[in-house]
Amino acid sequence: MKFALFTGCVSQGATRELMVSTKKAAEGLGIEFVEMKSAACCGAGVVGEKSPMLADALNARTFAIAEKQGLDLVTICSTCQGVLKKTECNLKSDPEYMKKINHILSEGGHQYDGEKSRIKHFANILATDEGMKRLRERIKRPLTGLKVAAFYGCYVLRPSKLSDFDNPDNPTGMEDIFAALGATPVYYESRTKCCGFPIVMMNKKASLDMAGNALVDAIESGADCVVTGCPLCHLNLDSYQPEIEKLLEKKYHIPILHLPQLVALALGYSPKDLDMDKHIVSTLNVKRKLQPVG
Amino acid sequence: MTTFRIKRYNPEKQPEPYYEDFQLDIPDGSTLLDCINLIKWKQDGSLTYRMSCRSAICGSCGMKVNGRAILACQRQAVSQVDKDDTVTIEPLGNMQPIKDLVVDFEPFWEKVHKVKPYLQTNEQPPEKERQQAPEQFRLIDDSSTCIMCGNCYSDCNVLEVDDNFLGPAALAKAQRFVSDSRDEKTLERVTELSEPGGIWDCTHCGECVERCPKPAEPFYRIKEIMTVALEQGVHNNNGARHALSFANSVKASGRLNENRIPVESVGIFNIKGLMDLIPIGIRMLLKRKIPPIFHKSIDDVKDVKRIFKELGQ
């Protein structure tokens, strides 16, 4: 399995542990990632607020780079995933628009064909038959006894016509991965909700209330940790957790892991290998539940 | 037999809502609304809900089915049956129940009225109609399909925590006039819509797109208002500053500069806003989660800059 890796910006910055653990997980699974070093930021839907066409042109350029590499593109961020998929949909549904965008790209030596590369989230490549087979074959430390709550991130689910999950209202892809790793999936209502991160700068109270409600739901459902496929969700749920505690006047303590961290733990990597000491919320209760590597 | 688990509420008899199960053989080809009608007509005449057209035009029969807002007349009943042969039906969310599945739409309508959902012009009306070219109408075609069913309002993630948010339906209605070539109050509209509770409080969750039974898809309409607000120079708020900072950062380096965006979003002269950033900044610093001080560009950033220039950005 070989893919073009669209890292996204946050995994290179505030959540560098995501990039570290993605590389470990890939190494452990025998997946080859070719980093797309000349790909621009997806725009997170925000560049599109300034100019929808600009956002689509930048993302089409990214697709053209993946096509040139002859590889499917893999994201490790739900937001990147959703934004790239929206551009793909905009271009493929309007041949005239695609022609205009390709005209803009041509001067930089890029052309987007539309058929040579697919966009996949890391969770979606694991949730395939091949991905699950690899997971099961290479597990060195089943995560037995660890109760894990998924937090999907809006953009991999909605709008459903852009989602790779069979049922975006009631997805099971991440929970299926947890089960394959030997962990116990925790199903709770807020797992498909918004973490509130996009409005943390505009309406902080609402943003942290959203994150807090999801955390309470996960804790009350018995989870030991929350695992997310989106570094922006990670930022709101982990980095702001001390402020959420104050706001909702409740004591919380639930570690938030990136999906590749959980996968790599089961593949035998140590929490230190995966920079789990760099989280704002201590990951000690996850470490305590880990079995020795077999 | 399928179980229809319906949330009942009648404050005249009992202060707390409760669930009541009804058993029904779903007749072939029947919609969910057909089944609810059968339950009312044959089993319990006191079951209360709104309905009218039965063809997804009037928007009356919005309700939560298995936790998500839908129009009961728009779905085949069998498609809503879960693995336990049950359909769970509840009133729409984010609004107060009045009786059974009927909720109080008053706050919803107040917000729709707040966006001034009518043409505003500076001149006297012409003798005949105000005309539009097809390409001008296309800009408001999707939002004009909204049937005000309230499904988007029911499942909006922001409204669950903040009643002050105008909500997706009112904002989609606002786009209907912001982008109308005949309206002459665009700047006033986007200025008001940029205030707290307006467009920049939308959390991008896409839930409203998912629940919308028509092509109105409010989230995309909200994004369209944002673009107009930025074009009109309404920049004096965190949402607009955030978008501008984000775009400038990508223009300069091809990627997001996470150190600059919080500061530029709150405004570099906003002392209180900057002070609010300090606790999270220190927390991140102590855990070495601060993005690199020397922001690195992507390879071939020149090409990205060229695209910005070519599109006049």
Side-chain angles (χ1 to χ4, degrees):
Chain A
M1 291 171 101
K2 186 176 177 183
F3 300 95
L5 179 66
F6 183 80
T7 63
C9 302
V10 183
S11 75
Q12 308 270 354
T15 63
R16 272 170 283 179
E17 70 280 358
L18 169 58
M19 195 60 203
V20 168
S21 54
T22 298
K23 285 182 177 170
K24 297 287 184 201
E27 181 186 76
L29 288 167
I31 295 173
E32 191 182 341
F33 279 146
V34 183
E35 217 174 296
M36 301 179 72
K37 293 191 172 174
S38 60
C41 167
C42 72
V46 179
V47 170
E49 289 161 9
K50 178 89 170 40
S51 162
M53 195 171 188
L54 171 67
D56 284 340
L58 294 175
N59 291 332
R61 178 179 172 277
T62 297
F63 304 153
I65 294 168
E67 285 185 343
K68 216 177 271 180
Q69 289 177 311
L71 298 171
D72 286 344
L73 181 158
V74 167
T75 67
I76 46 175
C77 169
S78 300
T79 303
C80 295
Q81 173 74 11
V83 172
L84 293 178
K85 282 270 195 180
K86 180 72 176 82
T87 290
E88 184 188 46
C89 173
N90 291 347
L91 296 172
K92 285 190 171 180
S93 62
D94 186 346
E96 277 306 306
Y97 184 55
M98 185 144 143
K99 213 185 274 180
K100 261 189 218 169
I101 296 282
N102 265 328
H103 180 71
I104 295 165
L105 298 188
S106 59
E107 209 179 305
H110 296 295
Q111 274 302 283
Y112 172 50
D113 176 88
E115 301 300 328
K116 294 180 183 164
S117 173
R118 288 171 304 169
I119 306 158
K120 294 275 166 195
H121 188 277
F122 184 62
N124 293 118
I125 62 170
L126 295 184
T128 58
D129 290 344
E130 170 66 13
M132 289 299 230
K133 187 168 161 269
R134 278 186 190 230
L135 273 183
R136 291 194 178 101
E137 283 170 2
R138 292 166 194 243
I139 288 174
K140 291 186 181 148
R141 171 172 42 207
L143 303 174
T144 316
L146 188 67
K147 286 177 273 178
V148 185
F151 195 82
Y152 278 80
C154 301
Y155 282 80
V156 284
L157 302 173
R158 293 179 290 270
S160 54
K161 63 182 175 191
L162 303 178
S163 175
D164 282 333
F165 288 103
D166 290 341
N167 180 355
D169 278 345
N170 191 15
T172 57
M174 279 183 54
E175 286 84 355
D176 292 346
I177 294 168
F178 303 163
L181 300 175
T184 307
V186 173
Y187 293 86
Y188 66 116
E189 201 183 326
S190 303
R191 66 202 180 94
T192 58
K193 292 265 183 189
C194 180
C195 71
F197 185 76
I199 55 168
V200 74
M201 288 290 144
M202 301 76 171
N203 186 347
K204 192 170 179 180
K205 186 178 179 310
S207 169
L208 299 188
D209 277 344
M210 274 188 256
N213 289 344
L215 292 175
V216 172
D217 195 4
I219 292 167
E220 289 179 352
S221 303
D224 296 316
C225 64
V226 170
V227 168
T228 179
C230 181
L232 303 183
C233 297
H234 191 273
L235 282 175
N236 234 33
L237 299 175
D238 178 60
S239 306
Y240 281 99
Q241 209 174 114
E243 274 162 84
I244 295 167
E245 282 182 8
K246 271 190 208 160
L247 185 71
L248 300 195
E249 295 174 349
K250 282 186 183 175
K251 264 281 172 218
Y252 299 107
H253 182 81
I254 186 158
I256 316 295
L257 268 54
H258 301 283
L259 178 63
Q261 284 178 320
L262 191 80
V263 171
L265 283 175
L267 295 173
Y269 292 93
S270 73
K272 198 164 173 42
D273 289 337
L274 307 170
D275 278 354
M276 279 172 54
D277 53 343
K278 284 196 177 168
H279 293 205
I280 299 296
V281 179
S282 166
T283 54
L284 198 62
N285 73 336
V286 174
K287 290 177 200 166
R288 281 187 184 139
K289 288 209 165 187
L290 293 177
Q291 316 284 328
V293 176
Chain B
M1 279 283 188
T2 297
T3 301
F4 287 76
R5 191 157 191 264
I6 302 180
K7 195 170 188 180
R8 306 294 306 267
Y9 177 57
N10 184 353
E12 287 175 4
K13 290 192 174 168
Q14 183 181 325
E16 293 304 317
Y18 61 95
Y19 288 89
E20 186 171 0
D21 289 352
F22 297 92
Q23 307 296 323
L24 184 76
D25 265 330
I26 298 174
D28 282 350
S30 56
T31 65
L32 189 62
L33 181 61
D34 293 334
C35 293
I36 297 170
N37 282 337
L38 281 174
I39 290 168
K40 182 177 175 72
W41 297 335
K42 310 253 174 165
Q43 299 187 36
D44 186 344
S46 74
L47 181 62
T48 307
Y49 50 95
R50 289 190 176 106
M51 63 152 287
S52 183
C53 76
R54 308 180 198 204
S55 1
I57 294 169
C58 75
S60 299
C61 65
M63 53 188 74
K64 276 203 178 197
V65 177
N66 302 328
R68 317 280 177 185
I70 62 169
L71 290 182
C73 71
Q74 204 183 24
R75 305 294 175 98
Q76 285 290 302
V78 287
S79 72
Q80 303 301 310
V81 179
D82 71 14
K83 59 179 179 358
D84 300 323
D85 209 5
T86 300
V87 183
T88 303
I89 303 172
E90 296 163 312
L92 291 178
N94 293 329
M95 287 177 269
Q96 291 301 316
I98 297 173
K99 190 179 178 212
D100 293 341
L101 303 174
V102 175
V103 296
D104 180 7
F105 261 69
E106 203 47 44
F108 173 93
W109 291 118
E110 275 173 23
K111 289 172 181 179
V112 172
H113 291 144
K114 215 170 165 182
V115 305
K116 302 187 179 99
Y118 40 81
L119 271 187
Q120 296 184 92
T121 59
N122 296 324
E123 292 161 12
Q124 289 297 312
E127 264 181 42
K128 286 187 176 177
E129 71 275 20
R130 296 177 197 273
Q131 291 190 330
Q132 275 196 309
E135 61 270 21
Q136 290 173 319
F137 177 68
R138 263 195 289 278
L139 299 174
I140 57 171
D141 191 3
D142 287 338
S143 50
S144 63
T145 64
C146 174
I147 54 172
M148 298 281 152
C149 62
N151 285 2
C152 60
Y153 194 95
S154 159
D155 288 16
C156 170
N157 280 217
V158 178
L159 284 166
E160 283 177 15
V161 296
D162 186 359
D163 288 339
N164 189 46
F165 183 46
L166 282 171
L171 290 171
K173 180 59 82 181
Q175 188 274 337
R176 156 74 184 76
F177 294 96
V178 164
S179 301
D180 192 313
S181 58
R182 300 161 297 185
D183 193 272
E184 293 174 303
K185 297 285 183 191
T186 311
L187 177 61
E188 290 86 337
R189 285 183 187 279
V190 293
T191 303
E192 281 175 25
L193 292 167
S194 295
E195 286 173 7
I199 47 174
W200 300 105
D201 280 12
C202 165
T203 192
H204 303 192
C205 68
E207 198 77 58
C208 56
V209 174
E210 215 45 36
R211 305 305 148 215
C212 182
K214 294 286 166 183
E217 301 186 328
F219 172 49
Y220 297 135
R221 308 292 79 80
I222 294 170
K223 304 282 272 184
E224 286 161 12
I225 303 175
M226 289 172 174
T227 305
V228 177
L230 293 172
E231 282 169 358
Q232 293 275 328
V234 183
H235 296 168
N236 191 25
N237 60 77
N238 286 12
R241 282 191 291 263
H242 180 260
L244 295 173
S245 172
F246 204 121
N248 285 338
S249 171
V250 178
K251 185 180 183 177
S253 64
R255 59 161 62 114
L256 177 65
N257 185 333
E258 292 171 282
N259 286 325
R260 289 183 66 159
I261 198 160
V263 175
E264 292 181 349
S265 298
V266 299
I268 51 171
F269 300 114
N270 176 357
I271 304 299
K272 190 191 170 296
L274 294 173
M275 297 284 279
D276 280 351
L277 295 174
I278 291 174
I280 179 99
I282 292 175
R283 215 178 296 143
M284 301 287 274
L285 188 65
L286 290 175
K287 289 284 185 174
R288 289 166 290 137
K289 280 176 79 77
I290 290 289
I293 302 294
F294 298 106
H295 184 67
K296 211 177 142 216
S297 295
I298 60 163
D299 292 353
D300 196 19
V301 70
K302 264 189 197 166
D303 190 41
V304 169
K305 290 181 181 183
R306 180 192 61 78
I307 292 173
F308 270 83
K309 197 175 168 194
E310 193 154 335
L311 288 169
Q313 296 294 324

